[in-house]
Amino acid sequence: MASNRKSLLNTMMKHRKRLDDQPMRLLFALDPNRFRRFSVSAGDLLLDYSKNRIDEKAMDALFALARAADFEGRRKAMWAGKHINSTEDRAVMHMALRYQGDKPVKIDGRDVMPDVREVLAHMKLFTSQVRDGTIRGTTGEKFTDIVNIGIGGSDLGPVMATLALAPYTRPDLRSHYVSNVDGAQLHDTLQRLDPKRTMFIVASKTFTTDETMTNAASARAWVATALGDKAVSDHFAAVSTNLKACDAFGIREDRIFGFWDWVGGRYSVWSAIGLPVALAVGFDNFSAFLAGAYEMDQHFLKTRLEKNLPVIMGLLGVWYRNAWGFATHAVLPYDQRLSRFPAYLQQQDMESNGKQVNLEGKPLDYDSGPVIWGEPGTNGQHAFYQLIHQGTSVVPADFLIAANPHEDMAPHHEKLVANVLAQSEALMLGKTREEVVAELTAQGLDKASIKALTPHKMFPGNRPSNTLIYPKLTPAMLGSLVALYEHKVFVQGTIWNVNSYDQWGVELGKQLAKAILPKVQGTAANTGNDASTKGLLAHYHKLRG
Ligand code: F6P
């Protein structure tokens, strides 16, 4: 952080100290307008952030921190196509992929919108032709199963969105996702499928990722064995920035969907990487997903900081990470169909802001991105919420809930809503000694039992959470939610002064795996590694006989 930001960070600490003595239950008791004062909307999406350890003075200090970090300048630079991904010398322009306006969107002086629209038109045609049966398998059968082969950003976004939008899918066109190099995943997927009716999409920005290329080669062999080598071109499509490599794999030109180096892998679900989503839900719904993200972009770009959802969520994250030292952040959707949303956000957030040096390459002397984790409620309540309520670590949490379910199954949704409201209330209020004693006394327990049980039954409370509530999980709302979190990551990366758009931290493991593979395969001697790796390799070979 620049020195003025550092001093603002110190100011934040002063606010923290002040708020240390002010439990949230007291702040709520003193201010009947707290919900109104600390909730904001973007379109149909409401963020209630009143159950946080904040007051107006603390929020003002956070907004000042954003301004000191020139958040507004950096946001402008991103949307102007500047190469803010400095270590890879690239623009960061995923917002162009969902841009609904009619102005040019320029990178290096060139309007990228004609290219974006051309790929979208290609996706639309392909999607409708697969869905209506114009495009068929090599034997003339309609496609009933689409297998996306990709990993990281070429998997997590599409799989998350396909699950989230299940009510918009068709039972006669099923989606499958294979990402892991562990053959178990491809094996178990293929076992259920008929090659004559199966289409594969090989999705890889680089078209060199080992896991994806290994799975794609095995899938190709599966098709060729069943239907002959010529069938491959009828059963494969590809999405990549590396068009030459797609061609070399044997993909037909009209089944190759391109995108560009200014789209980061974890920000690519809006590009042709979203093709399996478009196939699953239809192109109109995919377009609505893009339009929902555009709505959030407009909110992010145009709304003043004090009313800006991604800014507020980003700043609260910085507040807890740097002023309070909370190391993790939970995302808890009370929406079963968002079951992969936390996993998707893990890549989006942790690959972006899990950084140890600033933009100038200097070591950070403050913490950057937290660990992101989560599971859908109410399952989490019966698993890890114990720690969130009574553990020694404080875990700030985001709760997500739709007002309307897709299915008419009373009383399920009412119970879901009651639970999400109860959890954030319980985290905030806690349960005092007096309350526990009164409860146990009312239950008729004797004094000794009350004394013994009371500490176990007390809840510290004062545990922060945000609640996001929306009318229904539609394609547009999903688009808005995903874009909201993308921009939150941008806000935090700006304050921490890190490059949120590279990911060098994934390279070392890849390099070492390449070097170790021949030793696993037994074509190279087990030498040169550390004693642990050597010992494990030797034991592995022993187990393999
Ligand atoms: O894990 C590293 C990474 O480069 C991610 O950023 C990316 O989403 C993933 O690998 C897959 O890369 P590709 O789409 O090039 O296969």
PDB file of all heavy atoms in Angstrom, residues 151-154 203-207 209 212 265-266 347 351 503 506 510, ligand 1:
ATOM      1  N   ILE A 151     -10.598 -27.377 -17.265  1.00  0.00           N
ATOM      2  CA  ILE A 151     -10.277 -27.321 -15.823  1.00  0.00           C
ATOM      3  C   ILE A 151     -10.118 -25.855 -15.403  1.00  0.00           C
ATOM      4  O   ILE A 151      -9.894 -24.987 -16.262  1.00  0.00           O
ATOM      5  CB  ILE A 151      -9.007 -28.168 -15.516  1.00  0.00           C
ATOM      6  CG1 ILE A 151      -8.869 -28.445 -14.011  1.00  0.00           C
ATOM      7  CG2 ILE A 151      -7.742 -27.512 -16.057  1.00  0.00           C
ATOM      8  CD1 ILE A 151      -7.891 -29.574 -13.684  1.00  0.00           C
ATOM      9  N   GLY A 152     -10.220 -25.587 -14.104  1.00  0.00           N
ATOM     10  CA  GLY A 152     -10.087 -24.205 -13.614  1.00  0.00           C
ATOM     11  C   GLY A 152     -11.175 -23.348 -14.229  1.00  0.00           C
ATOM     12  O   GLY A 152     -12.357 -23.727 -14.261  1.00  0.00           O
ATOM     13  N   GLY A 153     -10.793 -22.224 -14.780  1.00  0.00           N
ATOM     14  CA  GLY A 153     -11.764 -21.315 -15.372  1.00  0.00           C
ATOM     15  C   GLY A 153     -12.493 -21.907 -16.559  1.00  0.00           C
ATOM     16  O   GLY A 153     -13.562 -21.426 -16.934  1.00  0.00           O
ATOM     17  N   SER A 154     -11.949 -22.926 -17.153  1.00  0.00           N
ATOM     18  CA  SER A 154     -12.605 -23.569 -18.297  1.00  0.00           C
ATOM     19  C   SER A 154     -13.565 -24.666 -17.845  1.00  0.00           C
ATOM     20  O   SER A 154     -14.052 -25.448 -18.682  1.00  0.00           O
ATOM     21  CB  SER A 154     -11.543 -24.128 -19.246  1.00  0.00           C
ATOM     22  OG  SER A 154     -10.696 -23.089 -19.670  1.00  0.00           O
ATOM     23  N   ALA A 203     -12.408 -27.404 -23.780  1.00  0.00           N
ATOM     24  CA  ALA A 203     -12.355 -25.984 -23.407  1.00  0.00           C
ATOM     25  C   ALA A 203     -11.027 -25.694 -22.717  1.00  0.00           C
ATOM     26  O   ALA A 203     -10.758 -26.209 -21.637  1.00  0.00           O
ATOM     27  CB  ALA A 203     -13.521 -25.657 -22.472  1.00  0.00           C
ATOM     28  N   SER A 204     -10.213 -24.895 -23.361  1.00  0.00           N
ATOM     29  CA  SER A 204      -8.931 -24.545 -22.751  1.00  0.00           C
ATOM     30  C   SER A 204      -8.429 -23.259 -23.374  1.00  0.00           C
ATOM     31  O   SER A 204      -8.235 -23.206 -24.602  1.00  0.00           O
ATOM     32  CB  SER A 204      -7.910 -25.667 -22.965  1.00  0.00           C
ATOM     33  OG  SER A 204      -6.646 -25.259 -22.516  1.00  0.00           O
ATOM     34  N   LYS A 205      -8.225 -22.271 -22.540  1.00  0.00           N
ATOM     35  CA  LYS A 205      -7.737 -20.994 -23.066  1.00  0.00           C
ATOM     36  C   LYS A 205      -6.429 -21.215 -23.840  1.00  0.00           C
ATOM     37  O   LYS A 205      -6.259 -20.714 -24.932  1.00  0.00           O
ATOM     38  CB  LYS A 205      -7.534 -20.009 -21.908  1.00  0.00           C
ATOM     39  CG  LYS A 205      -7.057 -18.655 -22.340  1.00  0.00           C
ATOM     40  CD  LYS A 205      -7.019 -17.678 -21.176  1.00  0.00           C
ATOM     41  CE  LYS A 205      -6.278 -16.423 -21.587  1.00  0.00           C
ATOM     42  NZ  LYS A 205      -6.192 -15.435 -20.529  1.00  0.00           N
ATOM     43  N   THR A 206      -5.544 -21.995 -23.254  1.00  0.00           N
ATOM     44  CA  THR A 206      -4.223 -22.187 -23.869  1.00  0.00           C
ATOM     45  C   THR A 206      -4.171 -23.395 -24.806  1.00  0.00           C
ATOM     46  O   THR A 206      -3.327 -23.472 -25.673  1.00  0.00           O
ATOM     47  CB  THR A 206      -3.179 -22.435 -22.763  1.00  0.00           C
ATOM     48  OG1 THR A 206      -3.671 -23.516 -21.945  1.00  0.00           O
ATOM     49  CG2 THR A 206      -2.980 -21.200 -21.904  1.00  0.00           C
ATOM     50  N   PHE A 207      -5.060 -24.335 -24.608  1.00  0.00           N
ATOM     51  CA  PHE A 207      -5.065 -25.626 -25.301  1.00  0.00           C
ATOM     52  C   PHE A 207      -3.749 -26.384 -25.078  1.00  0.00           C
ATOM     53  O   PHE A 207      -3.287 -27.152 -25.923  1.00  0.00           O
ATOM     54  CB  PHE A 207      -5.330 -25.461 -26.810  1.00  0.00           C
ATOM     55  CG  PHE A 207      -6.381 -26.432 -27.307  1.00  0.00           C
ATOM     56  CD1 PHE A 207      -7.727 -26.236 -27.019  1.00  0.00           C
ATOM     57  CD2 PHE A 207      -6.030 -27.553 -28.056  1.00  0.00           C
ATOM     58  CE1 PHE A 207      -8.698 -27.132 -27.462  1.00  0.00           C
ATOM     59  CE2 PHE A 207      -6.995 -28.446 -28.500  1.00  0.00           C
ATOM     60  CZ  PHE A 207      -8.333 -28.238 -28.198  1.00  0.00           C
ATOM     61  N   THR A 209      -3.096 -27.180 -21.457  1.00  0.00           N
ATOM     62  CA  THR A 209      -3.204 -27.633 -20.064  1.00  0.00           C
ATOM     63  C   THR A 209      -3.232 -29.161 -20.016  1.00  0.00           C
ATOM     64  O   THR A 209      -4.056 -29.799 -20.677  1.00  0.00           O
ATOM     65  CB  THR A 209      -4.473 -27.032 -19.418  1.00  0.00           C
ATOM     66  OG1 THR A 209      -4.372 -25.618 -19.526  1.00  0.00           O
ATOM     67  CG2 THR A 209      -4.601 -27.428 -17.957  1.00  0.00           C
ATOM     68  N   THR A 212      -6.464 -31.236 -19.265  1.00  0.00           N
ATOM     69  CA  THR A 212      -7.472 -31.141 -20.328  1.00  0.00           C
ATOM     70  C   THR A 212      -7.026 -31.905 -21.572  1.00  0.00           C
ATOM     71  O   THR A 212      -7.814 -32.640 -22.179  1.00  0.00           O
ATOM     72  CB  THR A 212      -7.723 -29.649 -20.655  1.00  0.00           C
ATOM     73  OG1 THR A 212      -8.180 -29.031 -19.462  1.00  0.00           O
ATOM     74  CG2 THR A 212      -8.752 -29.477 -21.749  1.00  0.00           C
ATOM     75  N   GLY A 265      -8.780 -16.629 -17.498  1.00  0.00           N
ATOM     76  CA  GLY A 265      -9.467 -17.924 -17.410  1.00  0.00           C
ATOM     77  C   GLY A 265     -10.616 -17.903 -16.409  1.00  0.00           C
ATOM     78  O   GLY A 265     -11.723 -18.355 -16.690  1.00  0.00           O
ATOM     79  N   ARG A 266     -10.360 -17.323 -15.225  1.00  0.00           N
ATOM     80  CA  ARG A 266     -11.392 -17.341 -14.174  1.00  0.00           C
ATOM     81  C   ARG A 266     -12.461 -16.270 -14.394  1.00  0.00           C
ATOM     82  O   ARG A 266     -13.376 -16.144 -13.584  1.00  0.00           O
ATOM     83  CB  ARG A 266     -10.738 -17.218 -12.804  1.00  0.00           C
ATOM     84  CG  ARG A 266      -9.791 -16.047 -12.633  1.00  0.00           C
ATOM     85  CD  ARG A 266      -8.958 -16.185 -11.375  1.00  0.00           C
ATOM     86  NE  ARG A 266      -7.931 -15.154 -11.268  1.00  0.00           N
ATOM     87  CZ  ARG A 266      -6.723 -15.222 -11.805  1.00  0.00           C
ATOM     88  NH1 ARG A 266      -6.382 -16.273 -12.525  1.00  0.00           N
ATOM     89  NH2 ARG A 266      -5.836 -14.261 -11.633  1.00  0.00           N
ATOM     90  N   GLN A 347     -11.678 -20.095  -6.961  1.00  0.00           N
ATOM     91  CA  GLN A 347     -10.710 -19.762  -8.009  1.00  0.00           C
ATOM     92  C   GLN A 347     -10.733 -18.267  -8.301  1.00  0.00           C
ATOM     93  O   GLN A 347      -9.687 -17.620  -8.376  1.00  0.00           O
ATOM     94  CB  GLN A 347     -10.980 -20.534  -9.304  1.00  0.00           C
ATOM     95  CG  GLN A 347      -9.847 -20.294 -10.308  1.00  0.00           C
ATOM     96  CD  GLN A 347     -10.188 -20.593 -11.762  1.00  0.00           C
ATOM     97  OE1 GLN A 347     -11.345 -20.764 -12.115  1.00  0.00           O
ATOM     98  NE2 GLN A 347      -9.165 -20.654 -12.598  1.00  0.00           N
ATOM     99  N   GLU A 351      -7.230 -17.268  -6.690  1.00  0.00           N
ATOM    100  CA  GLU A 351      -6.222 -17.189  -7.757  1.00  0.00           C
ATOM    101  C   GLU A 351      -5.946 -15.718  -8.085  1.00  0.00           C
ATOM    102  O   GLU A 351      -4.870 -15.375  -8.563  1.00  0.00           O
ATOM    103  CB  GLU A 351      -6.707 -17.954  -9.008  1.00  0.00           C
ATOM    104  CG  GLU A 351      -5.573 -18.600  -9.782  1.00  0.00           C
ATOM    105  CD  GLU A 351      -6.035 -19.500 -10.927  1.00  0.00           C
ATOM    106  OE1 GLU A 351      -6.633 -18.994 -11.885  1.00  0.00           O
ATOM    107  OE2 GLU A 351      -5.769 -20.712 -10.867  1.00  0.00           O
ATOM    108  N   GLN A 503      -1.403 -15.517 -12.330  1.00  0.00           N
ATOM    109  CA  GLN A 503      -1.505 -16.673 -11.438  1.00  0.00           C
ATOM    110  C   GLN A 503      -0.221 -17.504 -11.501  1.00  0.00           C
ATOM    111  O   GLN A 503      -0.232 -18.684 -11.758  1.00  0.00           O
ATOM    112  CB  GLN A 503      -2.732 -17.550 -11.753  1.00  0.00           C
ATOM    113  CG  GLN A 503      -2.855 -18.110 -13.178  1.00  0.00           C
ATOM    114  CD  GLN A 503      -3.270 -17.077 -14.182  1.00  0.00           C
ATOM    115  OE1 GLN A 503      -4.163 -16.274 -13.932  1.00  0.00           O
ATOM    116  NE2 GLN A 503      -2.607 -17.070 -15.337  1.00  0.00           N
ATOM    117  N   VAL A 506       0.632 -21.066  -9.734  1.00  0.00           N
ATOM    118  CA  VAL A 506       0.237 -22.427 -10.127  1.00  0.00           C
ATOM    119  C   VAL A 506       1.329 -23.095 -10.962  1.00  0.00           C
ATOM    120  O   VAL A 506       1.214 -24.273 -11.311  1.00  0.00           O
ATOM    121  CB  VAL A 506      -1.101 -22.433 -10.908  1.00  0.00           C
ATOM    122  CG1 VAL A 506      -2.215 -21.816 -10.081  1.00  0.00           C
ATOM    123  CG2 VAL A 506      -0.975 -21.706 -12.235  1.00  0.00           C
ATOM    124  N   LYS A 510       3.243 -27.417 -11.630  1.00  0.00           N
ATOM    125  CA  LYS A 510       3.155 -27.961 -12.993  1.00  0.00           C
ATOM    126  C   LYS A 510       4.540 -28.388 -13.483  1.00  0.00           C
ATOM    127  O   LYS A 510       4.708 -29.470 -14.048  1.00  0.00           O
ATOM    128  CB  LYS A 510       2.618 -26.891 -13.959  1.00  0.00           C
ATOM    129  CG  LYS A 510       1.138 -26.608 -13.852  1.00  0.00           C
ATOM    130  CD  LYS A 510       0.728 -25.664 -14.989  1.00  0.00           C
ATOM    131  CE  LYS A 510      -0.589 -24.982 -14.716  1.00  0.00           C
ATOM    132  NZ  LYS A 510      -0.934 -23.933 -15.661  1.00  0.00           N
TER     133      LYS A 510
HETATM  134  O1  F6P B   1      -4.779 -23.148 -12.763  1.00  0.00           O
HETATM  135  C1  F6P B   1      -4.117 -22.331 -13.635  1.00  0.00           C
HETATM  136  C2  F6P B   1      -4.932 -22.018 -14.852  1.00  0.00           C
HETATM  137  O2  F6P B   1      -4.123 -21.338 -15.745  1.00  0.00           O
HETATM  138  C3  F6P B   1      -6.200 -21.223 -14.571  1.00  0.00           C
HETATM  139  O3  F6P B   1      -5.987 -19.879 -14.411  1.00  0.00           O
HETATM  140  C4  F6P B   1      -7.029 -21.577 -15.744  1.00  0.00           C
HETATM  141  O4  F6P B   1      -8.374 -21.234 -15.556  1.00  0.00           O
HETATM  142  C5  F6P B   1      -6.773 -23.062 -15.818  1.00  0.00           C
HETATM  143  O5  F6P B   1      -5.411 -23.198 -15.502  1.00  0.00           O
HETATM  144  C6  F6P B   1      -7.081 -23.707 -17.131  1.00  0.00           C
HETATM  145  O6  F6P B   1      -6.337 -23.150 -18.176  1.00  0.00           O
HETATM  146  P1  F6P B   1      -6.746 -23.381 -19.667  1.00  0.00           P
HETATM  147  O7  F6P B   1      -8.101 -22.817 -19.897  1.00  0.00           O
HETATM  148  O8  F6P B   1      -5.691 -22.678 -20.479  1.00  0.00           O
HETATM  149  O9  F6P B   1      -6.750 -24.861 -19.938  1.00  0.00           O
END
